[in-house]
Amino acid sequence: MATRVIPIDEQVHVDISAEVEQLNANALREYREQYKLADEKERRKLVKPQRLTIKSYSEAALDYFRRNHLDPRNLGEETDVISEVRKLRNNVFSFMQVQERTYLMPFVQDVYDLKNRADTVEDTSFDMLNLMEIFIDLLLAGLGLSEQEQEAHKARAAKIFAQKKMNRKPKKA
């Protein structure tokens, strides 16, 4: 293939030369850092980076534009990858907020409501046990049983109630 010379503006040539030199310096610095951190086995595998030339830089840039179907005249517009990522991030956060409002917050509220109802039921159960003790006392007194029989029934009921109280879960403060 014949080499064709294309005239370019001098400032463009200076800018590209500076960019290529900076890329070469970065690659060499990165290689040296990796070399310092690597052990002997890894150092053998490391390859010193080849120097980038203006020609190879230009070819790579042109190939990039071709492979990605990009028009270099439109690079400054908001259709770049960063703006697309921002849009996607905003969509994800919006979705998460809707899910939170629609499902998570009502679920959390239901859990709190259930906890409050469970606490109320537990308190009511304790009150019911106390009322049952009083009822048994009154019932035994009304049956005309002897003092000893009443005490035996009360002791039996107290034992059962004590077992029930012990089986109750302790209240969390």
Side-chain angles (χ1 to χ4, degrees):
M1 181 168 146
T3 303
R4 195 167 107 185
V5 177
I6 302 172
I8 60 171
D9 186 31
E10 185 63 31
Q11 185 58 43
V12 171
H13 183 269
V14 170
D15 291 345
I16 290 175
S17 296
E19 180 70 22
V20 167
E21 287 306 314
Q22 185 63 47
L23 290 171
N24 282 327
N26 292 347
L28 188 59
R29 183 177 56 252
E30 186 176 316
Y31 169 77
R32 286 180 180 152
E33 288 173 6
Q34 287 177 352
Y35 191 83
K36 285 179 189 177
L37 298 174
D39 61 16
E40 192 62 39
K41 188 176 182 181
E42 291 173 347
R43 286 181 181 174
R44 287 187 204 126
K45 294 178 185 178
L46 287 177
V47 178
K48 194 170 185 178
Q50 294 180 342
R51 284 199 51 84
L52 187 63
T53 64
I54 294 176
K55 178 183 178 206
S56 59
Y57 177 83
S58 301
E59 288 172 350
L62 293 172
D63 188 48
Y64 177 80
F65 288 127
R66 185 185 52 76
R67 275 188 289 118
N68 292 297
H69 308 285
L70 296 174
D71 184 350
R73 294 173 293 195
N74 300 333
L75 289 180
E77 296 178 6
E78 280 298 313
T79 58
D80 60 355
V81 174
I82 295 172
S83 65
E84 294 298 322
V85 169
R86 284 185 184 135
K87 287 178 189 176
L88 182 60
R89 181 195 63 198
N90 291 341
N91 286 344
V92 168
F93 283 129
S94 295
F95 175 79
M96 289 170 55
Q97 288 173 338
V98 168
Q99 297 301 309
E100 180 181 332
R101 280 192 306 269
T102 305
Y103 299 108
L104 186 61
M105 294 311 292
F107 176 75
V108 169
Q109 186 60 46
D110 289 346
V111 168
Y112 282 125
D113 291 346
L114 282 173
K115 182 192 176 306
N116 290 337
R117 283 178 40 200
D119 289 346
T120 303
V121 167
E122 188 174 314
D123 291 342
T124 303
S125 299
F126 185 69
D127 292 342
M128 288 299 292
L129 285 173
N130 288 333
L131 287 173
M132 288 172 86
E133 282 185 54
I134 294 169
F135 175 73
I136 288 173
D137 287 344
L138 292 173
L139 179 67
L140 291 174
L143 289 176
L145 297 175
S146 71
E147 204 51 50
Q148 281 182 327
E149 291 173 321
Q150 285 184 20
E151 288 302 318
H153 285 295
K154 283 182 185 180
R156 188 170 153 227
K159 183 179 176 184
I160 292 171
F161 288 132
Q163 288 175 346
K164 295 283 183 189
K165 287 179 184 178
M166 293 296 287
N167 291 337
R168 278 185 62 228
K169 294 179 185 174
K171 259 192 174 178
K172 294 179 182 174

